[in-house]
Amino acid sequence: MLKRLKRAIHSEPDLTWLDVKAEPIQLPPEPRMEEHRRPRFRLEVNAPLIIGALIVLGLFMIVLFGPLLAPANPYLSGQRSTMVVDGQFMTPPFPPMPGLPLGSDQWGRDILSMLLYGTRNTLVACLFIATARVLLGSFLGMLAGWNEGSLIDRAVMGLVEVSSALPTLLTGMILIFALGIQRGITVFILALCFVGWAEIAQYIRSEFMIVRRKPFIEGARVIGLSGLDIAIRHILPNVLPALVIIAVLEMGAVLMIMGELGFIGVFIGGGTWVQIGDTTVLNIPDIPEWGAMMAGARQYARSRTWMVLYPALIFFLAVLGFNLLGEGLRRIVQRRGVSTAFLLSKRMVLVIAAISLATAYIVTHVGPAPSYAGLAQRFDDEAAFSHLQALTTPEMAGRQAGTPGADAAAAYIADRFDEYGLETLKLGLDYRLSWSSQVVTPTTQPVLALLDETGQTVRSFTYHVDFGVDINGHGGPGEANAPVALLTFSKPSYRIEEFEGLDLRGRIALYLADNAPPDFAVEALLHGAEGIVVINDNDITPRLQLADSDKDYLRPVVLPIFHIKAAAADELLAPDGLSVEELIQQSAQPAPEEPPWEMHELSRRLHMRLELSPVHEVTTDNVLGVLRGADAQLNKQLVIVAAHYDGAGRQPDGTVLQGANDGASGVAVMLEILRLWTARGFQPRRTMYFAAWAGGEWEHSGAHEYLTVQSPYSVLEIAAVINLDGLGRGGNELRVSGDAKLADLLLRTADSNGVPAREGATGHHPYQNAFRAQNLTVGWADDGLPPTEDTIDNINVAQLSVAGQAINLALITLGREYDY
């Protein structure tokens, strides 16, 4: 049996019994190799992707390079208040014309420049708002989708329903005003994010719900991955392409709502409200931004169509570009799919880094601050130093008012004003406005010497360094050689009878300036004093001007009155165990009113001598130039940038006090700022006067003369006065004193330039207090260097530079900003 089975297996099968005729099987021919080499493909043109990408790329290039292509920087210039066209005097808005290819807005600003600069502001704001929407919507959608059916899911969907039920435009506007439109882009991000996240959350929730039911998610659970790991490593990559498309489409949606808000007058920053006259208040959009341009142009939509046409057109192109790009990306994902491997690879880190760097550059160059800072930092210290050198040449001889040296300095400043294109104060006038004053001058070097008990000179003090002279009241020429009586007072004012018993005959009276009652010099004279020495550490500037013709000068009874520094007074007080610091502390302590005064005889004597010329009249010049404001409304406000150009000049002993830091440094900084502004085409909105005052050492200075003669007839309102002095060297801090708002502005600009600054006493010239309101004085802290060493060789160019940059930035802000 087994043998027959083996033979059956190994023998040929007998198929005749089937009675079927077998036919050979025909196999298909093998394809030719040539047919394999002809791949079949169909060219698919994704028109939305191509057109959208070109538009978005063009916008991105404008964001990066638009400011370089703009005819003018709207933050610094590009504004016209009047024009003469074809012989006709015109005011803004100006129609398109050569020089204004797209015309101007109602404030005279070039629309093309506003569009090019506004692209950066608008798209950066749009990017932040769209990003905030996508992030918020994605987070809440993922949270709800992963926890489907839970309390979290119901809460998120409830918020979605509430948000979707509210009208987007109205809700966004209400939120913007509720949060404070003046707070800028942050408010727009919060408000427009709140009204736009719901649709994104719904979509992401549905995607998460679909993907989490996929088999590979079950596999991830089986191998032990946590819920967070699964969401990040498996679900998120699957919804990432959709997120990219949503982000692009959201850019268009945000631009659409920003355009709508702009058209009804709601835009980033909200503009600045400016009082015009007594009853009119105007809102001025002060940031180049498409929405702001739409807001300002709305009322001109019919009469001045170019004002609204171009902002609307750029909005349309931008919305169209982002929508087409989003649609093109959607088609790619739908037809071919997208691998997320690249999105999660290391190469993506480089892409993100490049985008982050570009974004950082763009964000840091948004708004007026970068333009202001860039112009301020172009302050040229070498050019400023060259002005200093010109003002301290030997020919200037210290620039004493009424001398040829002061005339030469005034001519130099006037020439620079003319070179930099400033206007004169009135048509037909010169930059130099002459005025006269009655003065006296020392004919010999004033003498103040400390004597011992035997009358021998122990110490000779230096005029202008240790002491100064005063002709006010009964001050005048004379000589005294007498012991010193120190007077202290317990109250600020007295009746005449309270000085009974005061005997100053044969003595020189010495007292603190801040401790004595007003006009005590008269009482000292009446009680027999031979001379008066006032301890006044703040100001020993010689007072040699007769400002009022009714003043009793050179009466039959006069005496020398000197002001002395605290250090010199200490040498006088030391032999008696006293010091100025102790006197100040005693005067600050409450004291009994009886006795009202005390007199202490000192062991040292003083020798005083003062010889003066007769009263004579000197003529000197204020130098004033005008830079008219470009804003049709703000040019009625006036900012005065001032410094005094004269100095102490040549002394009777032949010493020349150059006054390089005191006087000349302020003028040098002012001239360099003017040169820079002219070279860069800077146009302030407010009108600015640049004033180089004469008589900086006098009680009635050039600033007082301006207020008396020119200012009453001006239609301009003084908004600020900035006095510049002592900028060429000094202590480690820049000091500002005066109006609190102006001081805050300069402290902020100094801080942004890395310059240490604080409020504190600075300056001691009378002209710095001529303007009572909106007045600020700027200068380095006093370094104690005497006037005899105030030379060009002791100027610190580094300090001149950083002070110039900080002041330049403050003046740019003051000239341009509606609310500084």
Side-chain angles (χ1 to χ4, degrees), residues 401-477:
T403 66
D407 291 342
Y412 177 84
I413 297 169
D415 289 343
R416 300 291 78 73
F417 282 3
D418 185 56
E419 178 185 347
Y420 302 148
L422 295 189
E423 301 178 29
T424 57
L425 199 61
K426 290 184 180 179
L427 188 64
L429 293 181
D430 190 6
Y431 295 109
R432 300 169 63 176
L433 304 177
S434 299
W435 59 286
S436 301
S437 185
Q438 302 284 325
V439 299
V440 296
T441 54
T443 56
T444 61
Q445 194 74 359
V447 173
L448 179 63
L450 181 62
L451 311 178
D452 60 14
E453 294 83 355
T454 63
Q456 298 297 315
T457 299
V458 176
R459 167 85 154 82
S460 292
F461 298 108
T462 305
Y463 183 50
H464 274 292
V465 176
D466 300 312
F467 73 98
V469 302
D470 186 358
I471 67 165
N472 289 330
H474 285 274

Side-chain angles (χ1 to χ4, degrees), residues 724-797:
L724 311 179
D725 195 22
L727 300 173
R729 49 143 244 278
N732 296 324
E733 291 180 326
L734 198 63
R735 298 286 179 86
V736 297
S737 61
D739 181 78
K741 187 175 182 180
L742 292 174
D744 179 68
L745 168 64
L746 204 132
L747 290 175
R748 283 187 280 113
T749 59
D751 181 67
S752 66
N753 282 276
V755 181
R758 69 178 180 88
E759 291 191 65
T762 179
H764 54 270
H765 298 290
Y767 80 89
Q768 295 166 348
N769 299 316
F771 298 88
R772 298 296 181 185
Q774 292 85 40
N775 186 53
L776 185 75
T777 299
V778 187
W780 290 105
D782 186 14
D783 59 359
L785 204 65
T788 51
E789 297 182 34
D790 186 10
T791 63
I792 191 70
D793 296 331
N794 288 323
I795 291 295
N796 187 322
V797 178

Side-chain angles (χ1 to χ4, degrees), residues 417 641-643 665-675 690-692 724:
F417 282 3
V641 184
S665 64
V667 175
V669 168
M670 180 175 67
L671 291 179
E672 167 53 16
I673 289 174
L674 262 177
R675 181 205 65 79
F690 290 86
L724 311 179

Side-chain angles (χ1 to χ4, degrees), residues 58 62 148 313 323 335-336 350 415 458 538 554 594 650 690 717 766 805 808:
I62 294 176
E148 180 185 0
L313 182 61
N323 284 345
R335 293 176 182 176
R336 299 185 179 181
L350 298 177
D415 289 343
V458 176
N538 295 325
L554 295 181
E594 296 296 337
R650 190 181 301 276
F690 290 86
E717 174 192 358
Q805 291 180 21
N808 191 15

Side-chain angles (χ1 to χ4, degrees), residues 116-139:
L116 291 174
Y117 271 84
T119 301
R120 178 176 292 179
N121 293 329
T122 305
L123 292 186
V124 166
C126 180
L127 175 64
F128 280 123
I129 295 169
T131 302
R133 279 185 171 187
V134 171
L135 291 177
L136 178 61
S138 300
F139 174 74

Side-chain angles (χ1 to χ4, degrees), residues 55 97 118 156 192 248 269 351 365 404 445 447 474 610 648 665 668 764 785:
I55 294 175
M97 64 178 70
V156 171
L192 298 186
V248 175
V351 175
H365 288 75
Q445 194 74 359
V447 173
H474 285 274
L610 178 61
S665 64
H764 54 270
L785 204 65

